[in-house]
Amino acid sequence: MELLKIKELSKNYITKKQVICALKNINLTVNDNEFIVLVGPSGCGKSTILSIIGDLEKKSSGKIKFSKDNIKVGYMFQEDALFPWLNVYDNCMLGLKISHQINDENTRYVKMLLKKYGLSNFEKSYPNELSGGMRQRVALIRTLATKPDILLLDEPFSALDYQTRITVSDDVFKIIKEEKKTALMVSHDIGEAIAMADKVIVLSNRPAIIKNIYDIKMENKSLPSENRKNEKFNEYYSAIWKDLDHYEC
Ligand SMILES: Nc1ncnc2c1ncn2[C@@H]1O[C@H](COP(=O)(O)OP(=O)(O)OP(=O)(O)O)[C@@H](O)[C@H]1O
Ligand SMILES: [Mg+2]
């Protein structure tokens, strides 16, 4: 079922010096439980799309329509943005606390997620005592705690080294699929996009327009690290590589 429809979305940033046209006529549909990854050159407008969907930034024109009212949006950014002075448990409960949603059910849900994803023994640990991958898992659990309808992930792995990135993508992917979440993720990494996505959207240089959309169809689709070994992976990789504008705007 359709969760979000974006129609003819455009965005101009108006600064004192200039008008920056960031997005031009973006059309996009996001279905329930779908994992969509946006790829495109640096500065083309990827984060702007997420910010507008999350209502952190105003659009210049076009329509953003969710299929139901009071939709809850969850974010995860490049830096895990955990608070160093709060332990894992308190970090995970923070969103609930701010939105006055701490109750038995939500507390149980957070505890269940911590347990299920191997963090129960670290509830009292502080972020600096965790690996980068564990911190990203905590950040995702904190995002999931408020039970968002859609997750917006802006390059959530780019602060991690390559090796960690591969395992953390598996972890995050597993959590998102098991918790049956809809996700819209931005990535610089074509391989990561293909390995994780149901659909990859290729954006052009700024102002971003949609250049191509790929439905990623693989037999025996599995965890991202396994999908990288799939015979279709390289085909998608070269096609998307050809589509991408390989210079910065
Ligand atoms: N608040 C702002 N005011 C003015 N210009 C902005 C603002 N935010 C973004 N821009 C400009 O809009 C364009 C798109 O920015 P955006 O951050 O969406 O790109 P991006 O694709 O996410 O880039 P990156 O890959 O580097 O993260 C850039 O040229 C940027 O300089
Ligand atoms: Mg960005």
Side-chain angles (χ1 to χ4, degrees), residues 10-106:
S10 297
K11 170 72 181 173
N12 298 321
Y13 286 108
I14 299 161
T15 67
K16 277 189 187 147
K17 285 194 212 128
Q18 57 183 335
V19 175
I20 297 168
C21 181
L23 305 173
K24 204 171 163 187
N25 299 338
I26 299 286
N27 291 296
L28 180 64
T29 302
V30 182
N31 295 314
D32 274 323
N33 301 336
E34 209 169 26
F35 199 125
I36 295 185
V37 182
L38 301 169
V39 295
S42 182
C44 77
K46 303 179 292 297
S47 299
T48 300
I49 296 179
L50 297 194
S51 303
I52 294 174
I53 295 171
D55 212 15
L56 301 174
E57 194 65 68
K58 293 271 162 270
K59 60 184 185 320
S60 300
S61 61
K63 277 194 183 141
I64 304 267
K65 181 132 184 44
F66 282 102
S67 61
K68 53 179 179 176
D69 296 333
N70 303 323
I71 207 95
K72 274 197 246 166
V73 175
Y75 288 97
M76 198 169 148
F77 298 107
Q78 179 175 351
E79 301 295 334
D80 57 47
L82 298 176
F83 289 104
W85 58 88
L86 294 179
N87 65 29
V88 165
Y89 179 76
D90 291 337
N91 260 296
C92 288
M93 295 298 284
L94 191 68
L96 291 171
K97 193 170 168 190
I98 292 170
S99 54
H100 307 288
Q101 292 183 73
I102 294 188
N103 55 34
D104 286 352
E105 188 198 326
N106 290 338

